[in-house]
Amino acid sequence: MRLGSINGLRFKQLKLVILAFFMLFLLWKWEKGTYYDSEILQPDPLVLTHPANSKIIEQHTPSEEDFPSADPLPQPVIKVEKQVTGAPPPLSMIGYSVDVADENEVPPPQKKECNYRNGKWISDNHRPLYSGFGCKKWLSESWSCRLTQRTDFTYEKFRWQPEACEMPGFEASRFLRRMQDKTIAYVGDSLGRQMFQSMMCMVTGGKNTPDVEDVGAEYGFVLAPGAKRPDGWAYRFLSTNTTILYYWSSTLCDLEPLNPSDRATSYAMHLDRPPSFLKNNLYRFHVLVLNTGHHWNRGKLKANKWEMYLGGGPNNNRNIAVIWKAKNFTIHSVVKWLDAQLPHHPQLKVFYRSISPRHFFNGDWNTGGRCDNTNPLAKGSGIHLNHSEDTDAEGAVSGTRIKLLDVTALSRLRDEGHISRYSIKATQGVQDCLHWCLPGVPDTWNEILAAQL
């Protein structure tokens, strides 16, 4: 009897142990079905002055590129609020249900579409994508900070990580194969030219290669008498028949001399006409990247003898005559025209690049403004916005087939990446807080462009 009691007790204990293990297994399976994605981006507050307040006046500085002025204009403000709690709540909670009986899990929800506007800057020791020392063939001397007296180059070691997706790394040969028999055209101001030079350096690795042929003459890019530079540059990669070009159009308006026989003539600045270069060459393009913004100021119009025209005659519309409204009218006009052209050019993809931010602190370019911070990401590393900081550009492309290449907010976090006081041709006491060191931030703009293609 005693042996039977002992065996009975052991059997009961064994059943309790098995039951406990079974309960633990069910609890583990239930917990396994839910996880938290707790990463959240926390940028410092960012303030955007009206794009029309970011301007350039060429006649006051002998440097190669223009610098902005500070004419007072309306300044709507957009902010990204900084998280103030030490432990922010999860960005998202995604639940997976589990059928305990047959252990078949419900498929997880699809990932969000990649949002290149939102994300964060992360350190990457594989940067830069090319050498600032080596890309002398394609890169302006004053923009290659490796050739100046600058000694800190940490700004070269960051890449942009978009939210909710991995942006593919840029690989030159693969990009050229994808762009075989295609033409990429950049049309805009000096920031557009920086993007063009960046792409040339990225695709060539900064090297002067016999595979690249100068085809500027095919597009009318010849140096006019007395001009500092031609209206643009065009290069063709013979191995893939890929052409990359840039055309100077700082306002995206068609400019027409009022008296062609007079070298000192004024120019009609047709706010409602795209540049004739676009009209004449659109059929040749497969990728078109547009930008404007920093040349819209009274000083620039006066210096270049540009006179606003509308409907083929002098502009009498007082409302449009306000500079920033004239700019917005022009952007809407060229975007609307391009959208109407796209059905006739099914091979063409058009991007409008949002404005590149200025970083003048404690003054403007001509009043002691500086951007000599060398501490990367001093104001935060990440962005999470529902809309573009460049609301004018976003509004212009809304409802069209033109894509917004939105780089404003992510570039605003990189104030350490400007030419600053290191420009070779800079005037004493004047810093360039508009243009970027290359390699640098414009490389990221091109990476986002390549990813969207």
Side-chain angles (χ1 to χ4, degrees):
M1 287 295 296
R2 184 176 181 185
L3 181 61
S5 298
I6 293 174
N7 289 336
L9 180 60
R10 288 178 177 174
F11 180 72
K12 289 180 181 179
Q13 290 175 334
L14 181 61
K15 287 198 297 182
L16 288 174
V17 170
I18 293 172
L19 181 60
F21 272 105
F22 181 72
M23 293 300 294
L24 286 172
F25 174 77
L26 289 179
L27 181 61
W28 173 76
K29 290 294 290 181
W30 180 81
E31 290 181 342
K32 183 174 179 288
T34 302
Y35 76 93
Y36 294 90
D37 180 4
S38 60
E39 182 180 15
I40 189 166
L41 305 177
Q42 304 178 54
D44 277 353
L46 302 177
V47 180
L48 175 68
T49 57
H50 196 283
N53 198 31
S54 299
K55 312 179 196 75
I56 308 170
I57 297 181
E58 183 177 36
Q59 70 273 22
H60 296 305
T61 174
S63 64
E64 178 185 3
E65 299 302 327
D66 301 330
F67 289 87
S69 69
D71 297 345
L73 291 172
Q75 300 179 10
V77 175
I78 302 171
K79 293 185 178 180
V80 182
E81 297 299 332
K82 181 179 180 180
Q83 296 287 343
V84 295
T85 58
L91 180 63
S92 61
M93 182 178 74
I94 306 173
Y96 295 162
S97 61
V98 179
D99 188 331
V100 177
D102 58 14
E103 298 185 359
N104 291 326
E105 295 188 5
V106 175
Q110 293 183 348
K111 289 184 178 181
K112 295 188 299 182
E113 181 181 355
C114 192
N115 186 329
Y116 296 98
R117 172 198 303 134
N118 293 327
K120 61 183 178 181
W121 290 102
I122 60 176
S123 179
D124 185 349
N125 287 327
H126 293 97
R127 299 285 161 139
L129 298 175
Y130 54 91
S131 166
F133 287 118
C135 195
K136 295 179 181 179
K137 171 71 175 179
W138 322 110
L139 182 55
S140 294
E141 187 180 43
S142 62
W143 291 343
S144 179
C145 292
R146 286 277 181 176
L147 301 180
T148 69
Q149 295 182 18
R150 184 162 183 163
T151 58
D152 64 290
F153 301 102
T154 310
Y155 65 87
E156 295 182 347
K157 296 292 186 179
F158 289 90
R159 66 177 174 88
W160 182 247
Q161 173 59 57
E163 187 175 278
C165 65
E166 288 288 336
M167 187 164 67
F170 185 88
E171 203 277 311
S173 60
R174 183 172 60 205
F175 179 77
L176 285 174
R177 288 195 299 270
R178 286 170 51 207
M179 294 295 108
Q180 183 160 353
D181 300 321
K182 292 180 172 58
T183 296
I184 305 169
Y186 296 90
V187 177
D189 58 22
S190 57
L191 276 305
R193 185 155 69 95
Q194 283 212 300
M195 198 172 175
F196 160 74
Q197 292 190 4
S198 161
M199 178 60 84
M200 288 301 301
C201 290
M202 289 167 63
V203 175
T204 62
K207 299 176 182 178
N208 189 1
T209 166
D211 184 48
V212 182
E213 179 184 13
D214 186 339
V215 293
E218 293 182 17
Y219 296 88
F221 298 155
V222 294
L223 187 63
K228 293 181 180 179
R229 59 182 72 94
D231 291 334
W233 293 264
Y235 298 99
R236 183 167 296 135
F237 291 78
L238 302 179
S239 58
T240 59
N241 192 35
T242 304
T243 302
I244 303 177
L245 68 87
Y246 163 78
Y247 176 73
W248 170 269
S249 180
S250 58
T251 60
L252 299 181
C253 291
D254 193 32
L255 297 175
E256 182 182 33
L258 296 178
N259 184 0
S261 62
D262 181 8
R263 291 187 63 181
T265 185
S266 295
Y267 289 81
M269 182 183 183
H270 295 284
L271 303 180
D272 52 353
R273 295 186 194 172
S276 57
F277 177 81
L278 282 183
K279 286 186 175 181
N280 297 335
N281 293 282
L282 196 63
Y283 72 96
R284 307 170 78 172
F285 302 154
H286 298 83
V287 179
L288 175 61
V289 184
L290 303 170
N291 88 285
T292 188
H294 292 292
H295 279 245
W296 289 88
N297 64 84
R298 289 291 175 190
K300 196 65 178 175
L301 268 64
K302 182 178 179 181
N304 289 298
K305 300 180 180 179
W306 292 339
E307 299 180 9
M308 291 187 191
Y309 269 56
L310 192 63
N315 175 40
N316 295 317
N317 187 325
R318 284 186 161 186
N319 191 41
I320 295 179
V322 177
I323 290 289
W324 69 269
K325 290 184 178 180
K327 175 183 73 75
N328 292 345
F329 178 88
T330 298
I331 295 173
H332 279 77
S333 177
V334 71
V335 165
K336 183 179 179 181
W337 176 77
L338 281 165
D339 190 50
Q341 296 299 312
L342 284 180
H344 307 294
H345 305 282
Q347 85 288 354
L348 179 62
K349 294 182 179 180
V350 182
F351 296 82
Y352 185 87
R353 203 210 72 216
S354 67
I355 199 163
S356 172
R358 309 155 78 242
H359 284 98
F360 288 94
F361 297 105
N362 300 319
D364 215 284
W365 71 269
N366 57 349
T367 57
R370 307 174 66 85
C371 54
D372 46 10
N373 168 48
T374 58
N375 182 22
L377 308 176
K379 292 195 171 183
S381 62
I383 291 294
H384 184 84
L385 295 171
N386 292 325
H387 296 283
S388 173
E389 278 195 352
D390 189 347
T391 55
D392 296 328
E394 187 174 52
V397 303
S398 178
T400 73
R401 286 157 288 197
I402 313 303
K403 294 182 179 294
L404 181 65
L405 185 59
D406 195 358
V407 303
T408 305
L410 64 91
S411 303
R412 191 171 294 283
L413 295 175
R414 300 300 308 279
D415 65 286
E416 90 289 2
H418 286 290
I419 304 295
S420 187
R421 64 178 182 271
Y422 299 104
S423 178
I424 293 174
K425 299 180 181 180
T427 303
Q428 183 66 31
V430 175
Q431 296 196 13
D432 185 350
C433 304
L434 174 68
H435 299 98
W436 303 90
C437 288
L438 289 176
V441 172
D443 302 332
T444 295
W445 304 348
N446 278 318
E447 287 182 280
I448 296 174
L449 172 68
Q452 289 188 281
L453 291 174

